[in-house]
Amino acid sequence: MKQFITSWICLLACMSCSKDDSVLTQLDGVLTDYQRYIFQKDTEFEKLKEQLQKSESREERYNASMDLYRAYQDFSLDSALVYIKQSLELAEELGEQERIIDTHLSLAFLYNYVGMHNEALKIFEEQDVAGHSDWLRRSHFYLGTNVYRNLSLYTVDKEQKEYYRRQMEICRDSAISYAPGDVILRAERLGDNGKMQEAIELLSKDLPDNLTTREAGLKYYILSEIYEKLEDRDLQIKYLAMSSIAGIKNAVREYIALRKLAVLLYEQDDIDRAYTYIHRCIDDAKACNARMRMVETSTFLSVIDSAVVKQKQDARNALVATATVISLLMILLAFALIMLHRKMNLLKHSEKELMRVNNQVTDTNVQLRATNKQLKDANTQLKQLNEQILESEESQKQLNSQLSDANKIKEEYITRFMHLCLDYINKMENYRAHLNKVARKRNFDELFDTIQSTRYINKEVNEFYNSFDEAFLHIYPNFLKDFNALLRPEAQVSPKKYERLNTELRIYALLKLGISDSTKVQEFLRCSSSTVYNYRTNMRNKAINRDTFEQDVLDIR
């Protein structure tokens, strides 16, 4: 079970790693087409060999042999060695010193590839390039750069390693001086001097990720070394993969990028890719007869193979554990099915019982709804009855209020008119005594004038109206103010006149007291019916609401 869990953890770790899977997927596709690129390379070899056979002069044979050497240089070191030695013989027969030196340098490059560093160093030291062309001098010092670099890498003596490193830098500086535009050498020097960002910018200029030329592959590899120094593992993997793609598409068998990539993927637990890549490396190294690469690759081959064997064993163990777990789950599932069957039977019984109870509840709900409807109807009737009672109570209150007002008016006016009658009796007695006195004196002219005069009647009428106004305004002290509120602002009675009523106001005072008969009103006011009518019409025209004016007056409290 532990192995099963461990395998799943490894799988999840592999799935969650942050490497650029897109470029690795592209590399996997290129490796799938590996034989197609080898076939294209073989076709190129055939054409070059035909060209060599057709060559007639030594110079043509030399050029054709050098082309074959360059073609085989990173594909088959044995074949490359055959053609470089053949080229060397032809160069010596031609007798051109610069061509002889160039061919010796090419042979030294080949020795450096196969690990014969001392032999390559001897050729480098024997060549005198003074006075020759810049490109030959650059090639000479470029050889020295590569030879001293390899000697520095593989020596164990620290002092000797430091010596080789200094010589490598001297040769590289010299090569750059003869070829200032050599981007690769300049980038390597910037990287060794710690100027990583400048080196990246120099190599990345005009270098898209889809280039697959041999020069682009070399630039990608140097970029991977720079990112290795910067400890950026993701970009290191990306550029190693891109360098490997360029190498495989150009049928290069002598390389380092794919081997280093396999080691990095192994460290990230991508065992399947590491296994595929490392076996491709060892097969290419054998086919190329690159013994140094075979030794370097073999160091990791056994480690990765062991990891694959362990992975397969873990997979078998995981499979056994999975089968065991599945078997246990099947047993648990069978047990669960048995329990589920029992539960289903209980559930069916419960459903029947529940259905019976639901039917009872449904019947009860129907009864409850009927009862609720009856209660609702009763409540509605009760509400209507309460509303009628409230309306009756309100009407009773209004009636009581009106009766109270009427009683108040009656009491007030009965009292006042009792006093008024007593006053009139006294005044009649005084008036009789006055007439009697005049009659005794036999002053008939004065008696006649007194009888004919209306002064006394007018005085009594005015006093009657004053008494009426005083009594009415005492009963309804806010009448004039409320009456004004029913009129338009420009037609309202002046506040200074609030102490007395005029004829128009007395008409509506009588209306308020319940005297609406025009005949009684004209008798009370001692005027004609047309005058009463005109006064009422004129006042209605002054009202804010003409249609309800007289009812509004009756509503004044």
Side-chain angles (χ1 to χ4, degrees):
M1 197 64 184
K2 288 182 180 179
Q3 292 172 341
F4 175 73
I5 295 171
T6 303
S7 299
W8 274 103
I9 291 173
C10 292
L11 178 61
L12 290 172
C14 180
M15 290 172 65
S16 62
C17 64
S18 59
K19 59 181 178 292
D20 192 342
D21 283 334
S22 61
V23 71
L24 291 176
T25 302
Q26 185 182 355
L27 175 58
D28 294 338
V30 171
L31 285 173
T32 303
D33 293 338
Y34 177 80
Q35 292 302 325
R36 179 164 65 89
Y37 302 119
I38 297 299
F39 176 77
Q40 292 174 357
K41 194 71 172 180
D42 288 336
T43 303
E44 180 185 350
F45 292 146
E46 293 300 324
K47 291 180 180 179
L48 292 174
K49 288 177 182 178
E50 288 178 6
Q51 187 177 352
L52 177 60
Q53 290 176 358
K54 294 177 181 179
S55 301
E56 297 179 356
S57 63
R58 287 193 183 93
E59 184 173 358
E60 288 178 351
R61 288 199 301 276
Y62 171 79
N63 291 333
S65 297
M66 287 297 291
D67 288 340
L68 280 165
Y69 154 73
R70 295 187 188 97
Y72 276 112
Q73 184 178 14
D74 47 21
F75 185 82
S76 175
L77 296 181
D78 291 341
S79 298
L81 186 60
V82 170
Y83 287 108
I84 192 60
K85 287 186 175 181
Q86 182 177 323
S87 299
L88 185 58
E89 292 176 1
L90 291 168
E92 290 177 349
E93 289 177 5
L94 290 171
E96 295 182 10
Q97 189 62 30
E98 189 159 310
R99 185 172 291 179
I100 293 171
I101 294 173
D102 180 44
T103 310
H104 276 93
L105 294 178
S106 298
L107 177 62
F109 272 112
L110 189 60
Y111 284 163
N112 190 49
Y113 281 149
V114 298
M116 299 169 63
H117 306 307
N118 290 325
E119 290 80 355
L121 180 61
K122 182 179 179 182
I123 294 175
F124 168 74
E125 292 174 344
E126 288 176 351
Q127 305 306 310
D128 183 9
V129 295
H132 288 284
S133 62
D134 288 349
W135 71 265
L136 186 63
R137 293 184 182 185
R138 180 265 178 198
S139 181
H140 176 257
F141 288 111
Y142 186 64
L143 170 65
T145 301
N146 283 277
V147 172
Y148 281 121
R149 180 187 289 113
N150 286 339
L151 288 171
S152 174
L153 289 174
Y154 294 108
T155 187
V156 294
D157 189 313
K158 291 184 179 181
E159 292 182 2
Q160 196 67 26
K161 182 185 286 289
E162 181 61 24
Y163 169 75
Y164 289 144
R165 190 189 63 79
R166 288 198 303 271
Q167 291 300 315
M168 182 270 292
E169 291 178 351
I170 293 171
C171 289
R172 184 171 60 195
D173 291 341
S174 299
I176 292 173
S177 67
Y178 290 112
D182 195 320
V183 173
I184 293 174
L185 288 176
R186 287 166 57 201
E188 287 182 343
R189 183 170 66 180
L190 287 171
D192 290 342
N193 291 334
K195 299 178 180 180
M196 304 300 180
Q197 195 58 42
E198 293 182 27
I200 292 172
E201 292 175 0
L202 182 62
L203 287 169
S204 301
K205 186 178 181 181
D206 300 326
L207 183 66
D209 291 348
N210 57 354
L211 285 182
T212 56
T213 62
R214 293 181 64 179
E215 182 182 3
L218 182 56
K219 288 182 178 179
Y220 293 144
Y221 179 74
I222 296 172
L223 280 169
S224 74
E225 289 187 321
I226 293 173
Y227 283 114
E228 181 182 8
K229 293 176 182 177
L230 292 174
E231 297 182 355
D232 191 333
R233 185 61 58 88
D234 294 339
L235 288 177
Q236 182 188 2
I237 289 175
K238 173 185 175 181
Y239 285 108
L240 283 174
M242 291 166 61
S243 179
S244 300
I245 291 170
I248 292 168
K249 285 191 173 183
N250 288 281
V252 175
R253 284 175 167 171
E254 203 284 333
Y255 48 71
I256 304 174
L258 190 61
R259 174 180 59 81
K260 292 183 70 173
L261 180 59
V263 174
L264 289 176
L265 294 179
Y266 166 76
E267 292 174 354
Q268 290 192 351
D269 291 328
D270 195 346
I271 306 300
D272 292 336
R273 277 196 174 111
Y275 179 83
T276 301
Y277 295 169
I278 203 70
H279 276 272
R280 180 74 271 156
C281 291
I282 197 68
D283 291 343
D284 283 344
K286 289 178 181 178
C288 187
N289 198 21
R291 293 179 178 83
M292 186 171 66
R293 299 290 180 242
M294 283 190 283
V295 172
E296 293 172 348
T297 306
S298 298
T299 304
F300 298 100
L301 181 65
S302 58
V303 176
I304 295 176
D305 282 346
S306 298
V308 172
V309 171
K310 184 178 182 301
Q311 187 183 51
K312 290 180 178 179
Q313 185 62 41
D314 290 343
R316 291 193 199 96
N317 294 337
L319 184 61
V320 172
T322 303
T324 303
V325 171
I326 291 173
S327 299
L328 292 173
L329 289 175
M330 291 297 292
I331 294 171
L332 291 174
L333 181 61
F335 178 75
L337 287 174
I338 294 171
M339 297 301 296
L340 182 62
H341 181 69
R342 292 181 179 178
K343 293 291 184 182
M344 289 295 290
N345 291 333
L346 292 173
L347 183 61
K348 287 180 180 178
H349 179 73
S350 299
E351 286 178 350
K352 291 180 180 178
E353 185 64 21
L354 182 61
M355 187 177 295
R356 184 183 65 79
V357 174
N358 283 338
N359 291 333
Q360 293 178 352
V361 171
T362 302
D363 295 339
T364 304
N365 286 335
V366 170
Q367 296 174 0
L368 285 175
R369 280 197 292 271
T371 304
N372 287 335
K373 187 176 184 303
Q374 293 174 358
L375 289 174
K376 185 176 180 181
D377 294 340
N379 286 333
T380 302
Q381 294 174 359
L382 182 60
K383 183 177 180 182
Q384 292 174 351
L385 183 59
N386 287 333
E387 289 176 354
Q388 292 174 359
I389 293 172
L390 289 174
E391 290 176 358
S392 300
E393 289 178 352
E394 185 66 25
S395 299
Q396 186 66 36
K397 286 181 181 180
Q398 292 178 357
L399 182 59
N400 290 336
S401 177
Q402 293 174 359
L403 290 174
S404 177
D405 291 342
N407 290 332
K408 181 180 178 182
I409 293 170
K410 288 177 180 179
E411 291 176 1
E412 181 71 22
Y413 273 94
I414 288 170
T415 302
R416 284 184 173 269
F417 279 100
M418 284 178 67
H419 288 292
L420 186 61
C421 289
L422 290 175
D423 287 341
Y424 279 140
I425 291 171
N426 292 329
K427 287 179 180 181
M428 289 294 293
E429 181 63 26
N430 292 332
Y431 187 64
R432 185 191 64 77
H434 175 69
L435 290 177
N436 188 35
K437 185 178 179 180
V438 172
R440 283 180 181 179
K441 291 180 179 182
R442 297 185 178 273
N443 192 351
F444 295 108
D445 292 331
E446 182 181 355
L447 177 63
F448 182 76
D449 289 338
T450 302
I451 296 170
Q452 287 291 110
S453 176
T454 60
R455 182 183 59 186
Y456 179 79
I457 298 301
N458 290 337
K459 178 183 176 183
E460 294 303 323
V461 169
N462 287 332
E463 288 181 2
F464 172 75
Y465 285 153
N466 288 337
S467 178
F468 174 80
D469 294 346
E470 182 181 353
F472 182 82
L473 293 176
H474 178 73
I475 297 170
Y476 299 102
N478 295 323
F479 177 79
L480 292 177
K481 182 178 179 181
D482 293 340
F483 189 85
N484 264 342
L486 300 176
L487 302 178
R488 294 195 302 274
E490 68 275 10
Q492 292 179 359
V493 180
S494 173
K496 294 180 180 179
K497 298 180 181 180
Y498 279 4
E499 297 178 356
R500 288 293 304 274
L501 300 178
N502 56 22
T503 303
E504 290 174 319
L505 292 175
R506 289 192 188 103
I507 291 173
Y508 286 97
L510 292 173
L511 181 65
K512 175 64 181 169
L513 293 174
I515 303 173
S516 59
D517 187 5
S518 298
T519 302
K520 293 181 179 181
V521 172
Q522 71 184 46
E523 289 176 354
F524 184 86
L525 297 177
R526 299 169 64 82
C527 62
S528 64
S529 60
S530 60
T531 301
V532 174
Y533 175 79
N534 290 334
Y535 279 154
R536 291 179 70 172
T537 302
N538 184 45
M539 191 59 70
R540 279 199 300 270
N541 291 335
K542 295 178 181 180
I544 295 173
N545 192 339
R546 186 178 185 279
D547 295 334
T548 62
F549 175 67
E550 293 190 352
Q551 182 61 43
D552 294 338
V553 172
L554 292 175
D555 293 336
I556 292 175
R557 291 288 180 266

